[in-house]
């Protein structure tokens, strides 16, 4: 018996849930700038989230997927991406989209049931939210293939949930990313739940990162509530991708602090103690305590920042609520580059039906 | 649920699932969130508590896997009831449905079979996100070897689902989620089944046949009532089983009325409505006293929910179509 | 290939692929065995040698992956031509085709688009193993956002495929493999395209319209010749594009002849033929002087090849149907 | 940085390609009985294969997938399976089917385009040949689930090619087999080719067995041309499955000695030297040399056995060629337990059409 393969997965953490430094910090994290920036962005994301849920509860928004608990993941990754890199998100990445430059009002538009929430100029070549689980991973590989074919120095980033790791798409994506050495970084937001199904029922494997081993690519686990760990891993993975050194899978271990979406009621399946443990580890408090300890962030900063972000968000909400709906014709106008004749007729019919309704 | 108080469709489905699991140990339920959570629409609530995790399985997140597993289970003589959380997520399972579930009996000359039910909520109107509102029953109706069933009331949901579970072949059971909770009926939990190859005539009339199914039955019946006030007597047919289609009931009705409107939520192109119109054009041309009229979804992608009501067929469209058909001479 | 000697359909496809790759660096080809092997039907022969492995990619074995990759590539402005080795193996790719390829433009209000061609040989008659003989074009024809195209001669294959590649939206391009090599034509390699929304009238006639597509065009033209000998002048229409359907040509022809036989290899139920019959029943009822007749595959699974000729529609069935339709008064 | 997971894959070989013993043989392999039996079965399989190809070349059989090169894999596994275990094959496992009790004439019937080739009484609960790549792996998991639900002591065996390992089905199957600890054994017949696509283009991973690590299950590599290595690994995996100890993935490294099928011409894409290396390693010669060396098999045995198997195969061919086709009605008779009315009408039409043709 010979050993024909050996592989392993590491776990990285710098700042633990008691906000203690457990590994020597990298240079950039020895000064306030980046960490404070991450903190500020996370706060906006959390506030935006609360606002969106409130809007949904009052019938002003559709079903909404909270990002509470994955702010660190989203903010750090999106911050490290270059403009010309491509983001291929799933449906829980508003915070990424915000950092990528989408207006908060545009993000609300999406969750308000309006396709224009996918057509922000700031999205450039980024993909829109992806609802069919794990399919985005293959789109990312296609984008990365195009980048490779054209010899560009860009990275593609795809993010998915722990549940999504069970779907063939994800594993096919890892495999082709490996064999074609594609410039792509896969991030698992392992928030421990796929709606009501706990992580343990998705796979018996102790880590999700080890799925990389199947594909012969780099895989690692990081503390998804620790911005420093995230930054270190993601930065390196992005750089490798841009330099043509191949793909990376990063499992970011987090916890879903909210219901799955506003259509869900997690108390049906989740013990309050589990949720409490999640809150003990969450990224914002952890970083705030650390920043406080370093003297980089004070109560007064907090108050000011909360005010600033509230105003920002309220503006976005106003803008969202003031956006008139798309015309009925929009159901047809983007289906094909050139609308077939029969659909032109249906388009006319739809318009006159809505005019009739409006006038009656 | 005692069966004595009026219940809604999703409760009737839950009742039928309980009935089937109680009466046949081979019946099992699997899918995403069907266990502890009782299903995102609560259709499987209580099953895990009553029948245990060996028979009510929360699966990993992979519809292709759910279908493939179910086929293996069914070939072993279990009767799996697999839930696909929304019909928009059934596509990963297509290969297993088309290439295996529908063919296992034929392929093995009856040595193996596939007594499988795939349940999926379908259709729009609940302001859901993208992919949660489609009506793609025609894709499945055309697959030889499948049965495709759509209930339109709590009672029919109960009887049709029990039949589907008892049926020795694979059944795609599509649930119009818009009317999951919109109508209550007394549903006796007596195990009575309804046939899987028969249309239901919900209202008799001599002037015009309104042929519909699923969630559009509501609007169709409404239209029939309103038309009756104007003296037009509609016969309302609930197709109920998309495959095999009960041509006889449809032909007989149009044979009597000579006029016909087909109403569906799905886009029109290559749909079950196309097939019905085609049957009439091939086999009942001389009966037709007016062109067939069709009311349905536009042949475009279901818009995000802010415009979905502009997409979905409404009662007044049915009335208009019926009147135009009546005026024709 | 010089374009000056007569070539068969699969050679015409190869010619079009070469033409497109030569004239547009963004055109790439991917699939199983498309590179070194030149495709199991030789459709991609020479491409790898001429354009290199960066543009002609042998993929890992996963159709879902092929489709998903292609969408990402297309969104970046490449024009991927993905081969699915046989249409029976397209089902793993369904979710990406339906949920993404067909919707990317609509979903992003035109910000992104998906100029993708998926080629797949379809149909029976070559004594192939199971899953190698299906005709399931109707499943795709009904998906809003796709185009579905089926050529029926070397020349049309060349012109339609070039159009499909240039088209800014996803096109499912289905190749009737039974006639891949059965007919030779001079095909000028001049880059001329054919429209993707137009039926071809292959033969004019006043008595009856024979409407067909793909591999059945051969039998339909044969039937038309034989019927002409008996004094029945058939108009033969090659539908060519299943979606969007060119209703105008069909309505005009039946408007003229008043009689119609629809011929397809696919099973009848909820098919493109159903849609065509439905259009006639809704929009041309008064033109119809006889019931529509339909000749097609049975609504059962394509049998293993020992019986496949018993399954596939034959010329004499078309003749019988046409005669019955002519006799009707 | 901590290590959160480590995994490895072993490679097992007992008798190498020079027919030398490279590891201490297990007890059962120290006597002739089992090894001679394996040898004899492999010879029949190879001869059957040659005959089938000849039939195809003369238009008496349809497209045929040769088993040349995977005889050891097929014969050993099928021999170790219990009658009540369930086989879920792909399309290259005639040798397994033969050992499981199918008549060779029934196997020919399948390749002759007749569904009755899937309905041998000997197949019991075994699945028929599976053409859609990798889908069988999930059926095996379903069967194994049923076995587990019913507390039975049976194993399910599913086999697939190296190409098939790239398809989501396979990876979804490994994953659910792991999380549900199903009684299933997956065997990869890694014959280095998926039609024209070499193993190296399927995955960059050095082994295919390491896909097991993704799912957290046991995975190993064995020499697929070495009946002893196969026997040891498969026996253990089957036993573990039957005892409820969970699934195993075995990658059996072999070489496809033939064209992909009779519809393929491998000279278009495969260098003759590569093929020659395959023939150097092939299982039958390797075992024959070993048996010769042990004095367990002589030229006279060989001659006699070849005669015996030729006769056997010729009988099967005769029986196959004498089998009248199914009636036309058979296109309908097995589609549903109860045929719907409209199909009854189509059935009548098909029958009268064929009667008309027969009489004309
Ligand atoms: C193909 C598909 N199947 C089912 C669903 C329904 N669904 C939406 S989210 C979800 C759970 C996803 O869990 P996970 O991947 O862990 O992501 P999370 O929402 O926890 O971030 C499910 C089952 C879907 N959107 N797509
Ligand atoms: C889903 C699917 N896609 C494509 C094919 C066509 N096809 C048949 S065999 C084959 C290659 C399979 O290679 P491998 O898995 O290595 O098995 P082998 O034939 O080498 O034993 C392909 C692509 C198929 N049968 N099913
Ligand atoms: Mg999750
Ligand atoms: Mg192989």
């Amino acid at each position: 018996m010979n050993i024909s393969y050996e592989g392993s997965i590491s776990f990285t953490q710098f700042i633990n849930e008691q906000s203690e430094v457990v590994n020597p910090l990298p240079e950039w994290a020895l000064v306030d700038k980046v960490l404070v920036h991450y903190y500020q962005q996370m706060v906006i994301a959390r506030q935006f989230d609360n606002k969106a849920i409130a809007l949904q509860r009052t019938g002003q928004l559709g079903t909404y997927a909270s990002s509470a608990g994955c702010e660190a993941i989203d903010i750090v990754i999106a911050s490290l991406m270059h403009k010309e890199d491509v983001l291929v998100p799933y449906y829980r990445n508003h915070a990424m989209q915000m950092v990528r430059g989408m207006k908060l009002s545009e993000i609300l538009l999406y969750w308000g049931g309006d396709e224009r929430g996918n057509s922000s100029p700031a999205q450039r070549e980024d993909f829109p939210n992806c609802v069919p689980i794990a399919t985005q991973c293959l789109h990312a590989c296609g984008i990365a293939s195009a980048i490779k074919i054209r010899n560009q120095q860009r990275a593609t980033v795809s993010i998915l949930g722990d549940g999504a790791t069970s779907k063939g798409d994800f594993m096919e994506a890892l495999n082709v990313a490996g064999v074609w050495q594609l410039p792509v970084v896969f991030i698992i937001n392992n928030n421990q739940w796929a709606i009501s199904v706990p992580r343990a029922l998705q796979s018996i494997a102790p880590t999700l990162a080890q799925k990389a081993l199947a594909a012969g690519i780099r895989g690692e686990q990081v503390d998804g509530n620790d911005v420093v760990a995230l930054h270190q891993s993601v930065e390196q993975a992005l750089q490798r991708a841009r330099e043509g050194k191949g793909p990376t899978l990063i499992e970011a271990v987090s916890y879903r602090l909210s219901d799955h979406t506003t259509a869900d009621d997690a108390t049906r399946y989740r013990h309050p103690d589990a949720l409490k443990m999640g809150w003990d580890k969450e990224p914002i408090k952890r970083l705030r305590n650390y920043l406080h300890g370093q003297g980089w962030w004070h109560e007064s900063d907090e108050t000011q920042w909360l005010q600033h972000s509230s105003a920002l968000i309220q503006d976005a909400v106003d803008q969202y609520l003031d956006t008139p709906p798309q015309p009925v014709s929009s159901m047809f106008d983007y289906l094909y580059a050139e609308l077939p004749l029969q659909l032109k007729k249906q388009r006319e019919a739809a318009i006159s039906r809505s005019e009739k309704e409006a006038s009656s | 649920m005692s069966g004595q108080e009026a219940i809604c469709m999703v409760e009737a489905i839950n009742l039928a699932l309980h009935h089937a699991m109680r009466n046949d140990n081979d019946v099992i339920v699997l899918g995403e969130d069907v266990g502890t959570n009782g299903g995102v629409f609560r259709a499987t609530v209580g099953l895990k508590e009553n029948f245990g995790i060996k028979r009510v399985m929360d699966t990993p997140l992979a519809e292709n896997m759910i279908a493939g597993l179910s086929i293996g289970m069914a070939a072993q003589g279990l009767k799996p009831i697999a839930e696909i959380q929304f019909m928009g997520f059934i596509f990963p399972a297509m290969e297993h449905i088309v290439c295996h579930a529908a063919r296992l009996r034929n392929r093995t000359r009856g040595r193996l079979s596939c007594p499988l039910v795939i349940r999926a909520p379908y259709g729009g109107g609940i302001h859901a996100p993208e992919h949660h509102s489609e009506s793609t029953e025609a894709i499945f109706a055309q697959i030889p070897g499948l049965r495709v069933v759509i209930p339109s009331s709590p009672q029919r949901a109960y009887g049709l689902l029990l039949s589907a579970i008892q049926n020795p072949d694979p059944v795609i059971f599509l649930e119009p989620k818009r009317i999951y909770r919109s109508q209550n009926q007394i549903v006796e939990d007596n195990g009575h089944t309804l046939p899987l190859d028969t249309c239901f005539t919900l209202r008799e009339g001599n002037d015009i046949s309104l042929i519909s199914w699923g969630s559009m039955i509501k609007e169709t019946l409404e239209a029939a009532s309103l038309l009756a006030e104007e003296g037009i007597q509609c016969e309302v047919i609930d197709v109920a089983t998309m495959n095999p289609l009960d041509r006889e009931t449809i032909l007989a009705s149009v044979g009597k009325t000579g006029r016909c409107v087909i109403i569906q939520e799905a886009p029109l192109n290559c749909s079950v409505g196309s097939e019905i119109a085609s049957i009439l054009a091939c086999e009942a041309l001389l009966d037709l006293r007016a062109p067939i009229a069709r009311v349905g979804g536009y042949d475009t992608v279901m818009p995000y929910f802010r415009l979905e009501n502009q997409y979905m067929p409404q009662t007044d469209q049915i009335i208009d179509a019926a009147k135009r058909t009546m005026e024709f001479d």
Side-chain angles (χ1 to χ4, degrees), chain A, chain B:
Chain A
M1 260 214 293
N2 302 323
I3 296 303
S4 48
Y5 174 76
E6 282 180 297
S8 69
I9 297 297
S10 64
F11 175 82
T12 307
Q13 189 188 52
F14 288 92
I15 300 181
N16 74 8
E17 74 183 85
Q18 283 81 39
S19 302
E20 299 155 357
V21 174
V22 293
N23 269 307
L25 291 178
E27 215 155 300
W28 65 266
L30 299 175
V31 292
D32 59 351
K33 184 156 170 278
V34 178
L35 290 178
V36 167
H37 174 74
Y38 284 160
Y39 180 73
Q40 291 173 327
Q41 296 295 307
M42 292 201 291
V43 168
I44 300 182
R46 182 71 57 87
Q47 276 193 292
F48 175 75
D49 211 72
N50 291 335
K51 187 66 176 188
I53 292 171
L55 287 173
Q56 191 281 335
R57 298 282 183 239
T58 52
Q60 294 167 291
L61 200 71
T63 301
Y64 175 77
S66 162
S67 62
C70 69
E71 292 93 346
I73 299 171
D74 275 29
I75 297 293
V76 170
I77 298 171
S79 299
L80 292 171
M81 286 178 70
H82 294 174
K83 209 168 163 189
E84 64 275 16
D85 292 337
V86 185
L87 173 64
V88 189
Y90 70 118
Y91 46 76
R92 204 182 284 287
N93 306 117
H94 338 305
M96 280 187 161
Q97 292 174 323
M98 173 183 86
V99 175
R100 295 284 286 165
M102 269 185 89
K103 293 192 210 158
L104 296 178
S105 60
E106 292 169 333
I107 294 172
L108 288 171
L109 216 47
Y110 174 85
W111 296 97
D114 189 318
E115 289 85 351
R116 288 172 297 182
N118 294 325
S119 64
S120 166
Q123 288 179 292
R124 301 164 51 104
E125 297 170 22
D126 289 358
F127 261 49
N129 293 346
C130 185
V131 174
I133 296 289
T135 52
Q136 73 275 11
C137 302
L138 285 168
H139 305 157
C141 289
I143 294 164
S145 300
I147 289 172
K148 180 152 187 166
I149 288 169
R150 291 169 166 163
N151 289 318
Q152 299 166 339
Q153 313 274 298
R154 303 157 70 200
T156 312
V157 173
S158 188
I159 176 160
L160 64 150
D162 47 315
T165 64
S166 297
K167 194 157 171 274
D169 293 74
F170 172 58
M171 297 181 268
E172 291 177 352
L174 292 181
N175 187 57
V176 72
V179 72
W180 290 0
Q181 288 293 292
L182 298 175
V184 58
V185 180
F186 300 101
I187 319 274
I188 302 168
N189 168 16
N190 175 3
N191 66 9
Q192 314 301 331
W193 295 93
I195 309 186
S196 73
V197 181
R199 157 65 183 84
L201 292 190
Q202 293 294 342
S203 176
I204 202 171
T207 74
L208 295 173
Q210 73 201 69
K211 303 217 173 200
L213 304 182
I217 69 172
R218 283 162 44 94
E220 51 179 306
Q221 245 188 352
V222 301
D223 185 334
N225 291 318
D226 173 5
V227 291
V228 182
L230 281 162
H231 182 111
Q232 287 305 96
S233 293
V234 172
E235 173 95 307
Q236 203 196 354
L238 283 171
Q239 213 159 307
R240 289 179 56 89
R242 291 189 203 107
E243 289 169 2
K245 293 190 179 147
T248 307
L249 169 64
I250 297 171
E251 175 189 358
V253 181
S254 70
Y255 198 86
R256 198 190 77 205
L257 299 172
S258 60
D259 294 338
H260 169 69
T261 65
T262 52
D264 177 46
D265 172 7
T267 62
R268 290 205 298 242
Y269 54 78
R270 185 163 66 173
H271 198 277
D273 291 353
L275 181 58
K276 183 166 174 310
M277 272 177 47
W279 279 105
D280 288 343
K281 296 184 179 174
E282 69 102 7
I284 296 184
K285 193 183 62 186
R286 185 186 304 197
L287 186 54
R288 184 171 53 237
N289 286 345
Y290 182 74
L291 295 177
H292 276 312
Q294 296 295 108
W296 293 342
W297 189 257
H298 306 94
E299 272 314 318
S300 56
D301 297 319
E302 182 81 6
T303 317
Q304 233 180 313
W305 188 254
L306 288 175
Q307 270 165 8
H308 163 75
S309 53
S310 287
L312 197 87
I313 290 164
Q314 191 53 49
D315 270 4
V317 171
D318 293 343
Q319 212 175 320
Y320 157 66
L321 292 174
D322 284 349
T323 310
Q326 298 177 94
V328 155
S329 54
S330 71
M331 286 199 273
F332 300 91
D333 291 340
Y334 305 95
L335 189 62
Y336 295 94
E338 200 191 333
L339 197 65
L341 185 57
Q342 176 61 12
L343 280 162
K344 282 190 187 139
K345 291 186 188 162
Q346 291 189 2
R347 182 177 182 277
E348 292 314 310
I351 292 172
S352 59
R353 174 178 152 197
S354 87
E355 281 165 0
K356 199 176 122 193
E357 267 167 34
S359 72
S360 74
Chain B
M1 271 164 282
S2 75
Q4 289 321 306
E5 48 184 312
I7 59 177
C8 67
M9 185 186 288
V10 74
E11 290 166 333
I13 287 165
N14 186 264
L15 199 64
L17 292 171
H18 273 93
H19 187 98
M21 293 200 78
R22 210 164 43 233
N23 286 278
D24 185 348
N25 276 327
D26 286 330
V27 175
I28 58 154
V29 164
L30 72 164
E32 296 156 8
D33 305 291
V34 297
T36 311
N37 195 33
V40 295
F41 285 104
R42 333 289 304 124
T44 57
V45 135
L47 294 175
K48 181 187 150 196
E49 291 70 14
N50 282 303
F51 305 106
I53 56 168
K54 270 200 157 180
R55 294 182 61 199
V56 184
M57 291 169 261
D58 276 324
T59 64
L61 202 172
E63 288 77 10
N64 181 62
M65 184 210 71
I66 292 172
L69 279 181
S70 300
I71 290 164
M73 292 169 167
Q76 282 286 308
L78 292 179
K79 294 179 182 161
I81 306 173
E83 177 174 300
I84 299 292
Q85 203 159 76
F86 288 86
M87 196 187 184
F89 306 131
I90 202 170
F91 299 111
M94 274 297 278
E95 181 173 42
H96 281 280
I97 294 173
V98 175
C99 297
H100 294 301
R103 297 186 181 200
L104 193 56
R105 177 187 296 280
N106 185 66
R107 172 179 297 147
T108 60
R109 308 283 89 170
R111 182 173 63 82
L112 299 175
S113 64
C114 192
L116 160 66
V117 178
I118 297 182
R119 294 178 43 245
Y122 86 96
I126 63 159
H127 268 42
E130 198 182 359
H131 303 288
H132 292 67
S133 302
E134 281 76 4
S135 303
T136 47
E137 66 269 18
I139 291 180
F140 298 93
Q142 71 189 261
I143 309 297
L146 298 181
R147 289 176 193 267
V148 181
V149 178
I150 302 182
S152 66
S153 76
Q155 285 167 1
R156 283 189 292 279
Y158 177 86
L160 289 169
L161 181 53
L162 281 183
S163 278
I165 297 167
Q166 286 167 24
N167 194 281
D169 292 311
V171 180
I172 309 289
F173 193 85
L174 302 174
E175 302 168 3
K177 66 172 110 62
R178 182 161 60 92
I179 58 167
Y180 257 164
R181 298 186 179 275
S182 68
Q183 178 197 12
N184 288 322
Q185 284 180 328
I186 301 280
V187 179
E188 298 271 356
D189 190 12
N190 53 13
H192 285 182
T193 60
L194 289 169
L196 293 189
D197 57 2
T198 307
C199 300
F200 301 99
T201 303
L202 302 186
R203 179 181 177 124
E204 298 194 8
N206 288 319
D207 296 336
I208 185 167
S209 304
L210 306 184
I211 301 175
S212 187
W213 57 90
S215 63
M216 291 308 298
I217 290 294
K218 185 163 164 285
E219 283 74 15
T220 302
L221 285 170
E222 257 167 44
S225 296
L226 291 166
L227 287 162
E229 289 173 17
E230 303 189 34
I232 300 173
Q233 301 307 328
C234 302
E235 181 138 307
V236 174
I237 293 183
D238 175 1
V239 175
T241 300
M242 310 294 113
N243 185 18
L245 210 52
D246 171 10
R247 294 164 167 242
E248 288 58 39
T249 300
I250 293 169
L251 287 167
S253 176
V254 178
K256 177 173 72 173
T257 62
R259 298 171 200 269
C260 164
V261 183
I262 304 167
I263 303 109
Q264 63 189 54
E265 189 174 318
L268 296 170
N269 192 10
C270 294
S271 65
V272 175
S274 312
E275 178 62 22
I276 293 170
S278 155
I279 292 167
L280 293 170
C282 294
E283 296 183 24
L285 190 77
L286 297 189
D287 292 333
L288 286 173
R289 297 166 57 194
I292 297 170
R294 298 183 59 192
V295 175
Y298 300 114
D299 290 306
T300 185
V301 173
M302 166 67 88
Y304 285 13
F305 68 80
R306 204 164 177 192
L307 289 183
E308 79 175 330
N309 286 340
Q310 308 273 3
Y311 179 91
M312 310 252 301
Q314 311 284 351
T315 307
D316 62 332
Q317 286 170 282
I318 305 171
I319 293 174
D320 285 356
K323 282 189 182 164
R324 276 200 315 278
T325 306
M326 287 306 298
E327 278 157 22
F328 194 93
D329 229 19

